[in-house]
Short mmCIF file of all heavy atoms in Angstrom, two decimals:
data_model
loop_
_atom_site.label_atom_id
_atom_site.label_comp_id
_atom_site.label_asym_id
_atom_site.label_seq_id
_atom_site.Cartn_x
_atom_site.Cartn_y
_atom_site.Cartn_z
N ASP A 1 100.65 93.51 92.23
CA ASP A 1 99.69 94.38 91.50
C ASP A 1 98.56 93.43 90.98
O ASP A 1 98.85 92.53 90.18
CB ASP A 1 100.49 95.17 90.42
CG ASP A 1 99.52 96.09 89.64
OD1 ASP A 1 98.47 96.43 90.12
OD2 ASP A 1 99.91 96.46 88.46
N GLU A 2 97.36 93.79 91.23
CA GLU A 2 96.22 93.08 90.71
C GLU A 2 96.40 91.51 90.84
O GLU A 2 96.45 90.85 89.80
CB GLU A 2 95.97 93.47 89.29
CG GLU A 2 95.45 94.92 89.15
CD GLU A 2 94.02 95.10 89.59
OE1 GLU A 2 93.24 94.16 89.72
OE2 GLU A 2 93.67 96.25 89.72
N PRO A 3 96.56 90.92 92.04
CA PRO A 3 96.84 89.55 92.09
C PRO A 3 95.71 88.67 91.64
O PRO A 3 95.94 87.49 91.34
CB PRO A 3 97.09 89.35 93.63
CG PRO A 3 96.35 90.49 94.29
CD PRO A 3 96.50 91.62 93.30
N THR A 4 94.50 89.21 91.54
CA THR A 4 93.42 88.38 91.11
C THR A 4 92.75 88.83 89.83
O THR A 4 91.71 88.35 89.39
CB THR A 4 92.36 88.38 92.26
OG1 THR A 4 91.94 89.65 92.47
CG2 THR A 4 92.89 87.75 93.48
N GLY A 5 93.36 89.84 89.09
CA GLY A 5 92.67 90.50 88.02
C GLY A 5 92.36 89.61 86.82
O GLY A 5 91.43 89.87 86.18
N ASN A 6 93.21 88.56 86.63
CA ASN A 6 92.97 87.70 85.41
C ASN A 6 92.35 86.32 85.83
O ASN A 6 92.38 85.48 84.98
CB ASN A 6 94.22 87.44 84.66
CG ASN A 6 94.77 88.75 83.97
OD1 ASN A 6 93.95 89.53 83.52
ND2 ASN A 6 96.06 88.91 84.04
N LEU A 7 91.76 86.22 87.01
CA LEU A 7 91.23 84.93 87.48
C LEU A 7 89.70 85.02 87.38
O LEU A 7 89.10 86.06 87.50
CB LEU A 7 91.64 84.66 88.85
CG LEU A 7 93.19 84.67 89.17
CD1 LEU A 7 93.47 84.42 90.57
CD2 LEU A 7 93.78 83.52 88.33
N ASP A 8 89.14 83.76 87.31
CA ASP A 8 87.67 83.71 87.49
C ASP A 8 87.31 84.03 88.95
O ASP A 8 88.14 84.03 89.77
CB ASP A 8 87.21 82.28 87.12
CG ASP A 8 87.78 81.22 88.05
OD1 ASP A 8 87.12 81.01 89.05
OD2 ASP A 8 88.81 80.68 87.73
N SER A 9 86.03 84.33 89.17
CA SER A 9 85.65 84.88 90.51
C SER A 9 85.95 83.95 91.66
O SER A 9 86.37 84.33 92.70
CB SER A 9 84.16 85.28 90.45
OG SER A 9 83.36 84.20 90.17
N GLN A 10 85.71 82.63 91.40
CA GLN A 10 85.94 81.68 92.46
C GLN A 10 87.45 81.59 92.84
O GLN A 10 87.92 81.64 93.95
CB GLN A 10 85.41 80.24 92.11
CG GLN A 10 85.62 79.29 93.27
CD GLN A 10 84.94 79.59 94.55
OE1 GLN A 10 83.88 80.17 94.62
NE2 GLN A 10 85.64 79.28 95.63
N SER A 11 88.26 81.49 91.81
CA SER A 11 89.75 81.45 91.97
C SER A 11 90.22 82.73 92.63
O SER A 11 91.07 82.72 93.56
CB SER A 11 90.46 81.20 90.74
OG SER A 11 90.18 79.94 90.16
N ALA A 12 89.71 83.84 92.22
CA ALA A 12 90.10 85.13 92.78
C ALA A 12 89.78 85.27 94.29
O ALA A 12 90.61 85.67 95.11
CB ALA A 12 89.35 86.27 92.06
N LYS A 13 88.60 84.69 94.70
CA LYS A 13 88.28 84.73 96.11
C LYS A 13 89.15 83.77 96.88
O LYS A 13 89.66 84.15 98.04
CB LYS A 13 86.77 84.20 96.20
CG LYS A 13 86.32 84.27 97.74
CD LYS A 13 84.92 83.60 97.90
CE LYS A 13 84.46 83.52 99.27
NZ LYS A 13 85.45 83.12 100.29
N GLU A 14 89.43 82.62 96.33
CA GLU A 14 90.38 81.71 96.99
C GLU A 14 91.71 82.27 97.22
O GLU A 14 92.36 82.17 98.28
CB GLU A 14 90.41 80.37 96.25
CG GLU A 14 89.20 79.55 96.32
CD GLU A 14 89.15 78.39 95.45
OE1 GLU A 14 90.26 77.88 95.02
OE2 GLU A 14 88.12 77.82 95.24
N ILE A 15 92.34 82.89 96.21
CA ILE A 15 93.66 83.53 96.27
C ILE A 15 93.65 84.70 97.31
O ILE A 15 94.49 84.82 98.08
CB ILE A 15 94.09 84.07 94.94
CG1 ILE A 15 94.33 82.94 93.95
CG2 ILE A 15 95.35 84.88 95.05
CD1 ILE A 15 95.39 81.86 94.36
N ALA A 16 92.56 85.51 97.23
CA ALA A 16 92.49 86.63 98.19
C ALA A 16 92.42 86.12 99.66
O ALA A 16 93.13 86.65 100.55
CB ALA A 16 91.31 87.53 97.86
N ASP A 17 91.55 85.13 99.83
CA ASP A 17 91.39 84.57 101.22
C ASP A 17 92.73 83.97 101.66
O ASP A 17 93.11 84.12 102.72
CB ASP A 17 90.33 83.48 101.18
CG ASP A 17 88.90 84.01 101.08
OD1 ASP A 17 88.71 85.25 101.22
OD2 ASP A 17 88.01 83.22 100.82
N LEU A 18 93.45 83.31 100.81
CA LEU A 18 94.75 82.74 101.10
C LEU A 18 95.79 83.81 101.49
O LEU A 18 96.49 83.68 102.48
CB LEU A 18 95.28 81.84 99.96
CG LEU A 18 96.61 81.26 100.12
CD1 LEU A 18 96.61 80.20 101.31
CD2 LEU A 18 97.10 80.63 98.88
N LEU A 19 95.79 84.92 100.71
CA LEU A 19 96.74 86.04 100.96
C LEU A 19 96.46 86.59 102.33
O LEU A 19 97.36 86.82 103.17
CB LEU A 19 96.64 87.11 99.90
CG LEU A 19 97.35 86.83 98.58
CD1 LEU A 19 96.88 87.86 97.53
CD2 LEU A 19 98.82 86.81 98.69
N PHE A 20 95.22 86.98 102.59
CA PHE A 20 94.81 87.62 103.85
C PHE A 20 95.04 86.66 105.12
O PHE A 20 95.52 87.05 106.13
CB PHE A 20 93.45 88.10 103.87
CG PHE A 20 93.33 89.42 103.09
CD1 PHE A 20 92.89 89.44 101.75
CD2 PHE A 20 93.58 90.62 103.67
CE1 PHE A 20 92.82 90.51 101.02
CE2 PHE A 20 93.55 91.82 103.00
CZ PHE A 20 93.12 91.82 101.62
N ALA A 21 94.72 85.36 104.88
CA ALA A 21 95.00 84.35 105.94
C ALA A 21 96.49 84.18 106.22
O ALA A 21 96.80 84.15 107.49
CB ALA A 21 94.29 82.99 105.58
N CYS A 22 97.30 84.14 105.30
CA CYS A 22 98.75 84.01 105.45
C CYS A 22 99.25 85.20 106.18
O CYS A 22 100.10 85.02 107.10
CB CYS A 22 99.49 83.84 104.14
SG CYS A 22 99.32 82.25 103.33
N CYS A 23 98.89 86.36 105.84
CA CYS A 23 99.27 87.52 106.59
C CYS A 23 98.85 87.58 107.99
O CYS A 23 99.63 87.83 108.91
CB CYS A 23 98.75 88.83 105.84
SG CYS A 23 99.61 89.10 104.35
N LYS A 24 97.59 87.21 108.27
CA LYS A 24 97.07 87.14 109.62
C LYS A 24 97.79 86.18 110.44
O LYS A 24 98.24 86.43 111.52
CB LYS A 24 95.56 86.87 109.65
CG LYS A 24 94.99 86.95 111.02
CD LYS A 24 93.47 86.68 110.91
CE LYS A 24 92.85 86.67 112.29
NZ LYS A 24 91.47 86.37 112.33
N ASP A 25 98.01 84.94 109.93
CA ASP A 25 98.70 83.82 110.67
C ASP A 25 100.12 84.15 110.98
O ASP A 25 100.63 83.64 111.91
CB ASP A 25 98.59 82.56 109.82
CG ASP A 25 97.18 82.00 109.68
OD1 ASP A 25 96.29 82.55 110.35
OD2 ASP A 25 96.93 81.14 108.81
N ASN A 26 100.78 84.98 110.15
CA ASN A 26 102.16 85.26 110.31
C ASN A 26 102.48 86.60 110.86
O ASN A 26 103.64 87.03 110.93
CB ASN A 26 102.93 85.04 108.96
CG ASN A 26 102.97 83.58 108.56
OD1 ASN A 26 103.60 82.75 109.19
ND2 ASN A 26 102.17 83.21 107.54
N GLY A 27 101.46 87.37 111.16
CA GLY A 27 101.63 88.69 111.66
C GLY A 27 102.26 89.66 110.64
O GLY A 27 102.98 90.49 111.05
N ALA A 28 101.97 89.42 109.42
CA ALA A 28 102.60 90.19 108.28
C ALA A 28 101.69 91.24 107.75
O ALA A 28 100.50 91.16 107.91
CB ALA A 28 103.01 89.21 107.21
N SER A 29 102.17 92.14 107.06
CA SER A 29 101.39 93.19 106.35
C SER A 29 101.36 92.79 104.90
O SER A 29 102.24 92.12 104.33
CB SER A 29 102.07 94.59 106.46
OG SER A 29 102.07 94.94 107.79
N LEU A 30 100.29 93.26 104.25
CA LEU A 30 100.09 93.00 102.82
C LEU A 30 99.84 94.35 102.14
O LEU A 30 98.99 95.03 102.52
CB LEU A 30 98.92 92.11 102.60
CG LEU A 30 98.45 91.85 101.23
CD1 LEU A 30 99.56 91.06 100.45
CD2 LEU A 30 97.11 91.08 101.15
N ILE A 31 100.75 94.61 101.19
CA ILE A 31 100.51 95.80 100.36
C ILE A 31 99.89 95.36 99.01
O ILE A 31 100.56 94.54 98.31
CB ILE A 31 101.79 96.61 100.17
CG1 ILE A 31 102.29 97.06 101.47
CG2 ILE A 31 101.56 97.75 99.18
CD1 ILE A 31 103.62 97.76 101.46
N LEU A 32 98.73 95.83 98.74
CA LEU A 32 97.95 95.23 97.61
C LEU A 32 97.43 96.48 96.78
O LEU A 32 96.93 97.35 97.29
CB LEU A 32 96.69 94.39 98.17
CG LEU A 32 95.72 93.85 97.22
CD1 LEU A 32 96.38 92.68 96.57
CD2 LEU A 32 94.52 93.49 98.04
N VAL A 33 97.62 96.29 95.44
CA VAL A 33 97.16 97.34 94.55
C VAL A 33 96.09 96.65 93.71
O VAL A 33 96.28 95.61 93.07
CB VAL A 33 98.31 97.82 93.57
CG1 VAL A 33 97.81 98.76 92.56
CG2 VAL A 33 99.40 98.42 94.39
N THR A 34 94.88 97.25 93.65
CA THR A 34 93.70 96.65 92.96
C THR A 34 92.82 97.72 92.52
O THR A 34 92.67 98.83 93.12
CB THR A 34 93.02 95.58 93.82
OG1 THR A 34 92.08 94.91 93.09
CG2 THR A 34 92.46 96.17 95.09
N HIS A 35 92.00 97.40 91.47
CA HIS A 35 90.80 98.20 91.04
C HIS A 35 89.59 97.64 91.61
O HIS A 35 88.55 98.31 91.50
CB HIS A 35 90.79 98.24 89.51
CG HIS A 35 91.90 99.03 88.89
ND1 HIS A 35 93.03 98.38 88.35
CD2 HIS A 35 92.10 100.36 88.77
CE1 HIS A 35 93.84 99.36 87.94
NE2 HIS A 35 93.22 100.54 88.07
N SER A 36 89.67 96.47 92.28
CA SER A 36 88.53 95.83 92.79
C SER A 36 88.12 96.35 94.21
O SER A 36 88.85 96.13 95.16
CB SER A 36 88.72 94.32 92.88
OG SER A 36 87.72 93.68 93.67
N GLU A 37 87.06 97.04 94.27
CA GLU A 37 86.57 97.55 95.60
C GLU A 37 86.14 96.43 96.50
O GLU A 37 86.46 96.48 97.75
CB GLU A 37 85.33 98.43 95.51
CG GLU A 37 85.77 99.91 94.89
CD GLU A 37 84.68 100.85 95.06
OE1 GLU A 37 84.04 100.89 96.09
OE2 GLU A 37 84.49 101.63 94.14
N GLN A 38 85.71 95.28 95.97
CA GLN A 38 85.36 94.15 96.80
C GLN A 38 86.60 93.56 97.46
O GLN A 38 86.60 93.21 98.67
CB GLN A 38 84.67 93.12 95.94
CG GLN A 38 84.18 91.85 96.72
CD GLN A 38 83.50 90.88 95.81
OE1 GLN A 38 83.49 90.95 94.59
NE2 GLN A 38 82.85 89.89 96.45
N LEU A 39 87.71 93.46 96.71
CA LEU A 39 88.99 92.97 97.26
C LEU A 39 89.54 94.00 98.25
O LEU A 39 89.97 93.65 99.29
CB LEU A 39 89.97 92.64 96.13
CG LEU A 39 91.39 92.20 96.53
CD1 LEU A 39 91.19 90.86 97.42
CD2 LEU A 39 92.16 91.94 95.33
N ALA A 40 89.53 95.25 97.91
CA ALA A 40 90.06 96.29 98.77
C ALA A 40 89.31 96.39 100.05
O ALA A 40 89.91 96.62 101.14
CB ALA A 40 89.99 97.65 98.03
N ASP A 41 88.06 96.13 100.05
CA ASP A 41 87.26 96.08 101.30
C ASP A 41 87.62 95.06 102.29
O ASP A 41 87.26 95.22 103.40
CB ASP A 41 85.72 96.02 100.96
CG ASP A 41 85.19 97.31 100.34
OD1 ASP A 41 85.82 98.42 100.51
OD2 ASP A 41 84.12 97.28 99.75
N LYS A 42 88.40 94.08 101.93
CA LYS A 42 88.87 93.07 102.86
C LYS A 42 90.02 93.60 103.70
O LYS A 42 90.38 93.13 104.76
CB LYS A 42 89.31 91.85 102.06
CG LYS A 42 88.19 91.07 101.39
CD LYS A 42 88.91 89.84 100.71
CE LYS A 42 87.84 89.04 100.02
NZ LYS A 42 87.31 87.96 100.85
N ALA A 43 90.64 94.76 103.27
CA ALA A 43 91.74 95.29 104.02
C ALA A 43 91.32 96.10 105.12
O ALA A 43 90.33 96.76 105.22
CB ALA A 43 92.59 96.22 102.97
N MET A 44 92.24 96.09 106.19
CA MET A 44 92.00 96.86 107.43
C MET A 44 92.16 98.41 107.12
O MET A 44 91.53 99.15 107.78
CB MET A 44 93.05 96.37 108.50
CG MET A 44 92.82 96.97 109.84
SD MET A 44 93.96 96.56 111.11
CE MET A 44 93.85 94.77 110.99
N HIS A 45 93.10 98.74 106.28
CA HIS A 45 93.45 100.14 105.96
C HIS A 45 93.53 100.19 104.46
O HIS A 45 94.04 99.34 103.78
CB HIS A 45 94.79 100.58 106.51
CG HIS A 45 94.84 100.44 108.02
ND1 HIS A 45 94.21 101.32 108.90
CD2 HIS A 45 95.47 99.55 108.84
CE1 HIS A 45 94.41 100.93 110.11
NE2 HIS A 45 95.19 99.91 110.13
N GLN A 46 93.07 101.32 103.89
CA GLN A 46 93.07 101.57 102.51
C GLN A 46 93.60 103.01 102.17
O GLN A 46 93.15 103.90 102.84
CB GLN A 46 91.73 101.38 101.89
CG GLN A 46 91.22 100.01 101.91
CD GLN A 46 89.83 99.95 101.28
OE1 GLN A 46 89.54 100.63 100.31
NE2 GLN A 46 88.92 99.14 101.78
N LEU A 47 94.35 103.14 101.19
CA LEU A 47 94.62 104.44 100.57
C LEU A 47 93.96 104.45 99.22
O LEU A 47 94.03 103.48 98.52
CB LEU A 47 96.14 104.62 100.35
CG LEU A 47 97.02 104.85 101.60
CD1 LEU A 47 98.49 104.94 101.19
CD2 LEU A 47 96.61 106.19 102.34
N GLN A 48 93.29 105.53 98.95
CA GLN A 48 92.53 105.56 97.67
C GLN A 48 93.04 106.77 96.93
O GLN A 48 93.17 107.87 97.38
CB GLN A 48 91.07 105.82 97.93
CG GLN A 48 90.22 105.72 96.68
CD GLN A 48 88.73 105.74 97.00
OE1 GLN A 48 88.35 106.21 98.08
NE2 GLN A 48 87.96 105.12 96.13
N PHE A 49 93.45 106.56 95.59
CA PHE A 49 93.94 107.51 94.76
C PHE A 49 92.87 107.86 93.64
O PHE A 49 92.44 106.89 93.01
CB PHE A 49 95.30 107.05 94.07
CG PHE A 49 96.36 106.85 95.12
CD1 PHE A 49 96.55 105.65 95.66
CD2 PHE A 49 97.17 107.95 95.40
CE1 PHE A 49 97.55 105.46 96.67
CE2 PHE A 49 98.18 107.80 96.33
CZ PHE A 49 98.43 106.46 96.94
N ASP A 50 92.55 109.10 93.56
CA ASP A 50 91.50 109.42 92.58
C ASP A 50 91.72 110.82 92.02
O ASP A 50 91.86 111.76 92.85
CB ASP A 50 90.16 109.38 93.26
CG ASP A 50 88.96 109.60 92.35
OD1 ASP A 50 89.01 109.22 91.18
OD2 ASP A 50 87.93 110.16 92.72
N GLU A 51 91.98 110.88 90.77
CA GLU A 51 92.24 112.13 90.15
C GLU A 51 93.37 112.91 90.74
O GLU A 51 93.31 114.10 90.86
CB GLU A 51 90.97 113.02 89.97
CG GLU A 51 89.82 112.35 89.11
CD GLU A 51 88.67 113.20 88.86
OE1 GLU A 51 88.80 114.47 89.01
OE2 GLU A 51 87.65 112.61 88.55
N GLY A 52 94.42 112.25 91.00
CA GLY A 52 95.64 112.84 91.55
C GLY A 52 95.60 113.17 93.01
O GLY A 52 96.49 113.74 93.58
N LYS A 53 94.52 112.80 93.69
CA LYS A 53 94.40 113.03 95.16
C LYS A 53 94.40 111.74 95.86
O LYS A 53 93.88 110.71 95.47
CB LYS A 53 93.11 113.76 95.50
CG LYS A 53 93.14 115.15 94.78
CD LYS A 53 91.99 115.95 95.29
CE LYS A 53 92.07 117.30 94.53
NZ LYS A 53 91.01 118.15 94.81
N CYS A 54 95.06 111.72 97.05
CA CYS A 54 95.23 110.55 97.89
C CYS A 54 94.42 110.76 99.15
O CYS A 54 94.43 111.85 99.77
CB CYS A 54 96.69 110.31 98.21
SG CYS A 54 96.99 109.09 99.46
N SER A 55 93.58 109.75 99.53
CA SER A 55 92.87 109.87 100.83
C SER A 55 92.77 108.55 101.47
O SER A 55 92.87 107.52 100.76
CB SER A 55 91.41 110.42 100.56
OG SER A 55 90.71 109.60 99.71
N TRP A 56 92.59 108.56 102.80
CA TRP A 56 92.36 107.27 103.50
C TRP A 56 90.95 106.84 103.32
O TRP A 56 90.01 107.69 103.37
CB TRP A 56 92.62 107.49 104.99
CG TRP A 56 94.00 107.74 105.41
CD1 TRP A 56 94.62 108.91 105.59
CD2 TRP A 56 95.07 106.76 105.50
NE1 TRP A 56 95.92 108.77 105.92
CE2 TRP A 56 96.23 107.40 105.83
CE3 TRP A 56 95.10 105.38 105.43
CZ2 TRP A 56 97.42 106.71 106.07
CZ3 TRP A 56 96.29 104.64 105.57
CH2 TRP A 56 97.37 105.34 105.95
N LYS A 57 90.74 105.53 103.10
CA LYS A 57 89.36 104.97 103.09
C LYS A 57 89.33 104.04 104.24
O LYS A 57 89.66 102.82 104.10
CB LYS A 57 89.08 104.31 101.76
CG LYS A 57 87.64 103.82 101.70
CD LYS A 57 87.39 103.11 100.34
CE LYS A 57 86.04 102.56 100.35
NZ LYS A 57 85.76 101.72 99.22
N ASN A 58 89.12 104.50 105.46
CA ASN A 58 89.20 103.77 106.64
C ASN A 58 88.24 104.38 107.67
O ASN A 58 88.23 105.57 107.83
CB ASN A 58 90.60 103.77 107.20
CG ASN A 58 90.82 102.96 108.44
OD1 ASN A 58 89.99 103.11 109.41
ND2 ASN A 58 91.74 102.11 108.43
N PRO A 59 87.32 103.61 108.29
CA PRO A 59 86.33 104.22 109.15
C PRO A 59 87.00 104.91 110.45
O PRO A 59 86.39 105.91 110.88
CB PRO A 59 85.55 103.04 109.67
CG PRO A 59 85.93 101.80 108.88
CD PRO A 59 87.17 102.18 108.14
N LEU A 60 88.18 104.45 110.81
CA LEU A 60 88.79 105.11 111.94
C LEU A 60 89.37 106.43 111.67
O LEU A 60 89.56 107.30 112.53
CB LEU A 60 89.90 104.18 112.50
CG LEU A 60 89.36 102.89 112.97
CD1 LEU A 60 90.61 101.97 113.44
CD2 LEU A 60 88.35 102.95 114.07
N ILE A 61 89.77 106.78 110.37
CA ILE A 61 90.44 107.94 109.99
C ILE A 61 89.84 108.59 108.77
O ILE A 61 90.48 109.21 107.98
CB ILE A 61 91.96 107.68 109.81
CG1 ILE A 61 92.19 106.52 108.88
CG2 ILE A 61 92.71 107.55 110.99
CD1 ILE A 61 93.70 106.26 108.54
N GLN A 62 88.52 108.47 108.60
CA GLN A 62 87.79 108.88 107.48
C GLN A 62 87.94 110.44 107.32
O GLN A 62 87.95 111.21 108.28
CB GLN A 62 86.25 108.59 107.67
CG GLN A 62 85.48 108.82 106.40
CD GLN A 62 85.74 107.83 105.36
OE1 GLN A 62 86.09 106.74 105.62
NE2 GLN A 62 85.54 108.22 104.17
N GLY A 63 88.15 110.86 106.12
CA GLY A 63 88.27 112.20 105.81
C GLY A 63 89.73 112.86 105.89
O GLY A 63 89.90 113.89 105.38
N GLU A 64 90.62 112.12 106.46
CA GLU A 64 91.96 112.60 106.47
C GLU A 64 92.58 112.47 105.09
O GLU A 64 92.30 111.50 104.39
CB GLU A 64 92.78 111.91 107.54
CG GLU A 64 92.30 112.20 108.99
CD GLU A 64 93.28 111.67 110.02
OE1 GLU A 64 94.49 111.40 109.75
OE2 GLU A 64 92.86 111.39 111.11
N HIS A 65 93.52 113.32 104.83
CA HIS A 65 94.18 113.33 103.44
C HIS A 65 95.57 112.88 103.65
O HIS A 65 96.22 113.17 104.69
CB HIS A 65 94.06 114.65 102.74
CG HIS A 65 92.61 114.96 102.40
ND1 HIS A 65 92.05 114.45 101.27
CD2 HIS A 65 91.74 115.71 103.03
CE1 HIS A 65 90.77 114.80 101.21
NE2 HIS A 65 90.59 115.66 102.22
N CYS A 66 96.17 112.18 102.61
CA CYS A 66 97.57 111.90 102.70
C CYS A 66 98.40 113.11 102.55
O CYS A 66 98.01 114.11 101.97
CB CYS A 66 97.89 110.89 101.51
SG CYS A 66 96.74 109.53 101.40
N ALA A 67 99.58 113.03 103.04
CA ALA A 67 100.53 114.16 102.97
C ALA A 67 101.16 114.18 101.63
O ALA A 67 101.26 113.19 100.90
CB ALA A 67 101.62 114.06 104.02
#
């Protein structure tokens, strides 16, 4: 949860880059919870929760709603 929330911007970028690189290099998935749209935009797929509603924020499946 919020892996970079309490870091300065440079450290936050380095940690985010490291997390995503490790997942890519190892064929792993990353489940990340954040309020940062900039960090979330690095993800291949996103679920967005807003006012009790869940929706996909992904260009391939835009507009679909979670079950």
Side-chain angles (χ1 to χ4, degrees):
D1 182 21
E2 293 286 344
T4 60
N6 292 323
L7 301 176
D8 62 90
S9 59
Q10 182 59 37
S11 295
K13 181 186 179 318
E14 290 174 14
I15 294 297
D17 290 346
L18 180 63
L19 283 169
F20 282 97
C22 284
C23 288
K24 183 178 179 181
D25 292 347
N26 293 289
S29 296
L30 175 65
I31 298 174
L32 178 72
V33 177
T34 185
H35 290 97
S36 167
E37 285 194 40
Q38 184 178 11
L39 180 57
D41 285 342
K42 292 178 177 272
M44 186 182 305
H45 302 285
Q46 296 178 35
L47 288 176
Q48 186 171 27
F49 295 91
D50 187 30
E51 295 188 20
K53 296 186 179 178
C54 173
S55 60
W56 289 100
K57 185 179 176 190
N58 181 308
L60 299 177
I61 49 179
Q62 191 69 26
E64 292 187 22
H65 294 279
C66 307

